[in-house]
Amino acid sequence: MNLTSIPALQDNYIWTLTDDHQHCIIVDPGEAQPVLEKIASNGWLPVAILLTHHHNDHVGGVAELLRHYPQLVVYGPEETRSKGAQKIVTEGDEFDLLGLKFEVISTPGHTLGHISYYSKPYLFCGDTLFSGGCGRIFEGTPQQMYDSIQKLSKYDDETLVCAAHEYTLSNMKFASAIMPQDPQILAEYQKIKDLRAKNGISLPTKLGHERQINLFLRTQDIDLQRTIGVDAAQHPVWQTFAVLREKKDHF
């Protein structure tokens, strides 16, 4: 399979998977035009759209894509039914596309109905997990978002995290401010600064790498807990996550 990220809107990525016969799957098309241009220039044959949640920067292009390609099958959670989803999927569902088996993971927090899709090695996680960070909590609770990220962290180190936004630079700036003595975080921050200065793309990222540089995957780290003032002996681990997320919200 060929994985492609299509920049869209201000900082979104629309992901596509294409097989050897040019059939393609489109993930979270926030707008249609850049996707239509890629389809035309590459001779792709779109077969399906996968939606993670209902926000317009993830579903805004669905209607226009369906006008051009009415044969498209649109998968998504219940909250995307009004946005064009025809196949409503939920936790534990599996389906086959282009010879790949996709697993549906319920990942509430950013929105209540947010889902992610996994087909080894690809993890399409929408606005749940980013490189160096995680999504804002708009509809859910910190505990829900923590639990969702724990679900995603169960996959192996080679898993490709296909997040939906280019937020890595701001995430690593935050991480370096929280843990200024951490050599892995400081090295990653510098690497991403150099990459983005050249307009490079920081995604996808491997889950094994994220375990090292993403503080939201390191909430059991005693040094991190001490730094942000959480007594882990007195509080569940998700409260470390909650404090960290609140600090990021106000960073």
Side-chain angles (χ1 to χ4, degrees):
M1 303 298 290
N2 185 35
L3 177 70
T4 304
S5 60
I6 304 174
L9 301 169
Q10 183 176 348
D11 49 35
N12 281 70
Y13 289 131
I14 301 166
W15 293 97
T16 64
L17 277 175
T18 313
D19 69 11
D20 292 340
H21 303 288
Q22 302 306 305
H23 297 103
C24 80
I25 300 164
I26 304 158
V27 184
D28 280 353
E31 59 177 336
Q33 193 56 40
V35 181
L36 292 171
E37 290 171 1
K38 278 284 188 182
I39 290 170
S41 63
N42 291 292
W44 290 346
L45 304 167
V47 299
I49 294 174
L50 308 183
L51 302 177
T52 61
H53 65 290
H54 66 81
H55 287 162
N56 196 58
D57 63 324
H58 293 251
V59 303
V62 172
E64 187 174 348
L65 288 169
L66 284 172
R67 282 196 292 273
H68 284 83
Y69 301 99
Q71 78 279 9
L72 279 168
V73 180
V74 185
Y75 294 79
E78 179 62 43
E79 65 179 40
T80 61
R81 186 187 294 272
S82 64
K83 309 294 185 177
Q86 308 143 341
K87 295 273 191 180
I88 304 303
V89 290
T90 189
E91 172 83 12
D93 286 349
E94 294 183 344
F95 56 89
D96 295 316
L97 284 173
L98 305 187
L100 299 176
K101 183 177 289 294
F102 284 86
E103 172 190 348
V104 179
I105 311 131
S106 175
T107 48
H110 183 70
T111 68
L112 285 176
H114 195 295
I115 61 173
S116 299
Y117 301 89
Y118 176 73
S119 180
K120 189 173 184 176
Y122 310 107
L123 176 63
F124 298 105
C125 50
D127 285 358
T128 297
L129 183 65
F130 298 125
S131 183
C134 71
R136 282 184 177 269
I137 301 166
F138 287 119
E139 298 175 11
T141 66
Q143 186 169 4
Q144 282 180 315
M145 184 63 108
Y146 170 78
D147 289 343
S148 293
I149 289 173
Q150 291 303 112
K151 281 185 187 178
L152 300 184
S153 72
K154 74 179 183 182
Y155 294 103
D156 66 55
D157 284 351
E158 295 302 304
T159 299
L160 292 175
V161 178
C162 303
H165 289 274
E166 183 58 75
Y167 288 164
T168 314
L169 182 58
S170 63
N171 288 337
M172 294 315 303
K173 182 178 182 181
F174 169 72
S176 67
I178 295 292
M179 301 288 280
Q181 306 303 319
D182 188 302
Q184 290 175 302
I185 285 176
L186 295 180
E188 182 72 5
Y189 182 32
Q190 186 60 54
K191 184 184 87 172
I192 297 299
K193 279 197 288 188
D194 294 343
L195 179 70
R196 292 302 294 155
K198 301 171 186 173
N199 204 33
I201 294 173
S202 67
L203 295 166
T205 177
K206 288 188 177 181
L207 189 55
H209 179 62
E210 290 302 306
R211 295 189 219 282
Q212 304 302 315
I213 58 93
N214 191 328
L215 294 182
F216 293 94
L217 290 173
R218 289 173 47 178
T219 49
Q220 296 189 31
D221 184 322
I222 299 300
D223 288 338
L224 173 61
Q225 293 169 349
R226 188 177 297 121
T227 297
I228 64 175
V230 175
D231 183 350
Q234 302 295 321
H235 301 286
V237 178
W238 70 262
Q239 289 197 355
T240 300
F241 172 87
V243 171
L244 195 63
R245 182 62 253 183
E246 186 177 13
K247 286 182 178 295
K248 179 64 168 68
D249 289 344
H250 297 98
F251 182 68

